Amino acid sequence: MYRLTERRGRGAFAAWRSRTRDDLARTGGMATVRRVLAPLFPSKSSYFPDFLTPPDGVLGLEAGVDAVLSTPRRLLRRELDKLAGRTGTPSWAWGLADGRRDAFHDLRDGLHSYFDTVIAPYWSDIQGMVDSDRAVRGRAFLDGGVGGMLAGFRPIMRWEPPVLSMDHPVDRDVYLGGRGLVLIPSYFCWGAPVPLADPELPQVVVYPIQRDHPLAAPKGRPTSGTPDARLLGPTRAAILRATVDGATTGELARRQRIYASGVSQHTQVLREAGLIVSRRMGTQVIHTITPLGAALLAGPTGGGPAGDRRPRW
């Protein structure tokens, strides 16, 4: 929402913004954005209600929306009061705290239609880059433990044991007290990471990933007759399967018993077709499959070795 409505990051998201605004105008979704969603995410404030980003969102869109709509009224009232004190709360939103069914329907329909128009068409690109980031963080954890992984977030976050610090408009300390910290990679997060405002809630930090390329025009699911499918000979198909859990160029070369230079040629073709994402980590390059690549492996039936690639928040 911020990338769509405010100036920060406008250049990096220009093509996506243009296509998305056209699609929202064509479907009538811009009216919903302006009336229902945008007032809950005020661009001139450092605060937006935490109930809009529930931990249940990791289970998918439906679970996330259900959790939003199940927020206790006292929490809704408290967070809407806080929003009102900063930028004002839209009149329709007070119906959420009062338990009015029409207000919940407006929010539910707004979230679904926004996701379908703004996010879903680009999910393969987004998920591919997020998975690539997760593969890099996972390698850092295996090599250096939690400290090694957290140290790899510089410069956006600074790990000085036992403190993880980041830039934020509000100067405050949060003590985990034995609670975990959930780190969520985000394609649309711009600049500094975003923590939850309420220190009493399970702590979550959303951080920006490296954006390897702008979001391309939406791609459909490949089938056996598409150019993407025809480019896969046995070696490239094996390389693509090996990237399901992430693999370095050297690992792919050893598995396929070919030179690293040959692997690089194959991964370049797969990357240009949108089937994998490649991310440098020190002296290594890690390749991870995209949902488009997973769909190609699965074939027209939807099954296959790539596993469950459903959208996750």
Side-chain angles (χ1 to χ4, degrees):
M1 180 67 69
Y2 286 143
R3 299 293 75 78
L4 185 66
T5 59
E6 68 175 27
R7 299 185 65 85
R8 293 179 65 224
R10 178 168 291 187
F13 297 95
W16 168 81
R17 280 168 52 92
S18 177
R19 285 193 299 265
T20 294
R21 285 175 173 269
D22 289 345
D23 291 341
L24 285 170
R26 176 175 49 80
T27 61
M30 190 60 79
T32 299
V33 169
R34 289 171 176 160
R35 186 181 76 84
V36 177
L37 298 181
L40 294 176
F41 297 87
S43 60
K44 295 183 180 180
S45 173
S46 61
Y47 173 78
F48 60 86
D50 285 334
F51 77 85
L52 293 169
T53 53
D56 308 62
V58 301
L59 302 176
L61 178 65
E62 292 295 337
V65 172
D66 287 346
V68 168
L69 301 182
S70 301
T71 307
R73 290 188 191 178
R74 59 174 179 78
L75 182 58
L76 286 169
R77 171 68 62 176
R78 186 176 73 192
E79 295 195 1
L80 291 174
D81 281 341
K82 190 181 297 186
L83 181 65
R86 285 171 166 79
T87 60
T89 297
S91 57
W92 74 267
W94 291 113
L96 297 173
D98 295 335
R100 284 173 36 197
R101 184 172 297 180
D102 60 327
F104 282 97
H105 284 177
D106 282 348
L107 182 56
R108 179 199 62 201
D109 294 345
L111 291 171
H112 275 288
S113 63
Y114 185 81
F115 181 88
D116 290 343
T117 303
V118 175
I119 304 296
Y122 307 95
W123 193 265
S124 180
D125 250 6
I126 294 170
Q127 187 71 60
M129 283 183 266
V130 167
D131 285 347
S132 177
D133 180 271
R134 292 174 65 184
V136 168
R137 307 299 175 193
R139 291 295 178 109
F141 175 78
L142 291 175
D143 292 342
V146 172
M149 182 191 69
L150 294 178
F153 279 103
R154 282 186 178 272
I156 60 173
M157 291 189 280
R158 298 167 296 281
W159 174 237
E160 298 168 348
V163 177
L164 181 67
S165 59
M166 65 198 75
D167 294 331
H168 193 267
V170 179
D171 186 11
R172 63 189 178 98
D173 295 328
V174 175
Y175 297 90
L176 295 179
R179 296 177 296 169
L181 177 67
V182 179
L183 298 167
I184 300 180
S186 170
Y187 180 86
F188 289 102
C189 187
W190 181 262
V194 181
L196 283 187
D198 190 341
E200 301 302 318
L201 293 175
Q203 284 302 292
V204 172
V205 172
V206 178
Y207 66 89
I209 64 169
Q210 177 181 323
R211 286 172 289 274
D212 301 295
H213 53 267
L215 291 178
K219 294 181 181 179
R221 180 187 178 91
T223 63
S224 58
T226 66
D228 281 347
R230 289 198 298 269
L231 70 83
L232 291 183
T235 301
R236 279 187 195 142
I239 288 175
L240 184 60
R241 291 190 188 95
T243 64
V244 168
D245 295 316
T248 67
T249 301
E251 289 169 344
L252 294 173
R254 288 192 294 272
R255 293 179 191 180
Q256 303 307 315
R257 298 182 180 180
I258 59 178
Y259 290 111
S261 58
V263 169
S264 296
Q265 292 175 1
H266 288 303
T267 54
Q268 180 179 352
V269 174
L270 295 172
R271 186 167 52 251
E272 290 174 350
L275 303 179
I276 66 170
V277 172
S278 302
R279 177 70 48 80
R280 179 165 294 280
M281 180 184 175
T283 60
Q284 297 180 323
V285 176
I286 299 177
H287 310 280
T288 52
I289 198 168
T290 66
L292 188 67
L296 183 58
L297 287 183
T301 60
D308 182 5
R309 309 291 293 183
R310 292 173 296 172
R312 290 175 172 84
W313 288 64

